[in-house]
Amino acid sequence: FDCAAGQYQNLTGQAACVKCPAGEFQTERGQTSCDLCAAGGYCEVTDDCGGGFTPCLAGSYNEKTGSSSPDACQQCPPGTFSPSSGANSSGTCKSCRSGTFAAGSRNAECEPCKAGSYQNATGAAGCIRCGLGSFC
């Protein structure tokens, strides 16, 4: 018999299959091992699809292999953004350019400052209101 996706058996003559451990997955039937979950995401233990790889959302990253929870995805800090999912390095978090900001964390993009405010610095988490009697 063939083991289902999410399971394996590396010994002959066995009557049962072994479920892939946390942080590993197997999407194919009849395998003798599971694959270590790659950096850039995580592999939950589930009964469907072998607990396949789930990439971290845009605005976050995971530098470690073998992760088994969405908590493994670290959020890019305020003032930075990362537009793509599945990032495997904190280096994917880029500073917002002047005139834009990224409040909070796990930002996929930076927002432009609204009318009546400005930001000259890069990597800002907010904008500065224009002073009274000035135009910006």
Side-chain angles (χ1 to χ4, degrees), residues 11-100:
L11 302 173
T12 58
Q14 302 299 307
C17 296
V18 179
K19 195 174 209 174
C20 290
E24 296 185 16
F25 72 105
Q26 182 50 259
T27 57
E28 298 179 26
R29 297 180 57 84
Q31 299 300 305
T32 59
S33 66
C34 296
D35 298 320
L36 186 64
C37 189
Y42 58 95
C43 302
E44 291 183 292
V45 176
T46 62
D47 291 330
D48 61 318
C49 271
F53 180 79
T54 302
C56 291
L57 297 173
S60 63
Y61 63 94
N62 180 11
E63 297 177 331
K64 298 178 182 175
T65 59
S67 298
S68 61
S69 163
D71 295 335
C73 297
Q74 303 297 307
Q75 298 180 356
C76 291
T80 67
F81 73 103
S82 180
S84 47
S85 61
N88 61 8
S89 168
S90 62
T92 61
C93 299
K94 304 295 183 194
S95 291
C96 294
R97 60 185 168 82
S98 61
T100 66

